[in-house]
Amino acid sequence: MVKITSEVINMGNLEQDQKEESVSFQSTVALIGFVGGTLWSFIGYLAYYFSFTKFGPSIILMPWALGDWKHDLLGQWIGILVIGILSIGIAFMYRLIFAKVNQVWPGILFGIALWLIVFGFLHPLFEEMEPILRLDLNSLVTTLSLYIIYGLFIGYSVSYEYHERTVHEGETIQD
């Protein structure tokens, strides 16, 4: 008689039958934030490059960085990276406020609120940016559209992931 051990039985399992360990929800939110920030600030750079708006992602460096390098391509790329890092915090803010709402509207409203915060309340930090009422129509429409799409991307991605993990997988996510 041959003695069958658990090792022999486990060897028969296919790789696809084994359950993958999932990445934590916190890590996923951070990744969504970073990707959303870098993606949409890169699109913002393209809008700046093609003169749809008067300023690019390097505007984030204006209050802190000295020198004219921040207006060059290097400044734009560093601005994209900084916005990507700041977007991690923004994604966690969305997660705390709206993660349970699996709709597009909270993301759109979140993007509009972010735009109002940046262009309305934080305007004094950015000396080279004109006030909202003095922005040209192209800059106004382009930046508002980018913020709406950015908010939609962050919002729906976080809400969708939350919904998938709680409803379909039965995972418990700490609030």
Side-chain angles (χ1 to χ4, degrees):
M1 284 225 160
V2 176
K3 184 177 178 182
I4 299 177
T5 65
S6 62
E7 293 172 14
V8 174
I9 294 172
N10 286 337
M11 286 176 52
N13 288 346
L14 297 175
E15 186 176 319
Q16 63 198 29
D17 292 339
Q18 296 173 358
K19 186 176 180 180
E20 290 183 25
E21 289 186 32
S22 65
V23 177
S24 75
F25 183 62
Q26 307 299 352
S27 299
T28 304
V29 171
L31 183 63
I32 289 169
F34 183 76
V35 169
T38 53
L39 172 68
W40 294 107
S41 60
F42 177 74
I43 304 274
Y45 169 68
L46 292 177
Y48 167 73
Y49 182 78
F50 291 113
S51 300
F52 286 104
T53 183
K54 291 184 178 181
F55 42 85
S58 68
I59 195 81
I60 195 80
L61 304 174
M62 297 304 161
W64 299 283
L66 298 174
D68 287 335
W69 64 270
K70 59 190 171 197
H71 297 288
D72 297 334
L73 185 60
L74 176 64
Q76 300 297 334
W77 285 108
I78 292 174
I80 291 170
L81 182 64
V82 169
I83 292 171
I85 293 168
L86 291 174
S87 290
I88 294 171
I90 291 170
F92 277 105
M93 186 175 16
Y94 186 91
R95 181 234 184 277
L96 289 173
I97 300 170
F98 296 117
K100 294 180 182 180
V101 183
N102 195 21
Q103 301 269 327
V104 296
W105 296 110
I108 292 170
L109 295 174
F110 189 71
I112 292 169
L114 285 174
W115 185 83
L116 288 171
I117 289 169
V118 170
F119 286 85
F121 299 116
L122 297 179
H123 173 264
L125 287 175
F126 309 111
E127 297 171 2
E128 296 181 18
M129 187 169 62
E130 296 177 8
I132 292 175
L133 297 176
R134 282 197 258 150
L135 279 174
D136 63 301
L137 188 60
N138 282 341
S139 291
L140 196 86
V141 170
T142 301
T143 56
L144 182 58
S145 298
L146 283 171
Y147 272 78
I148 289 172
I149 295 171
Y150 166 75
L152 182 61
F153 179 88
I154 295 288
Y156 198 72
S157 297
V158 169
S159 294
Y160 177 81
E161 187 65 27
Y162 181 88
H163 181 75
E164 285 295 307
R165 288 177 184 252
T166 56
V167 173
H168 293 294
E169 296 176 13
E171 187 176 320
T172 304
I173 297 175
Q174 303 281 328
D175 281 331

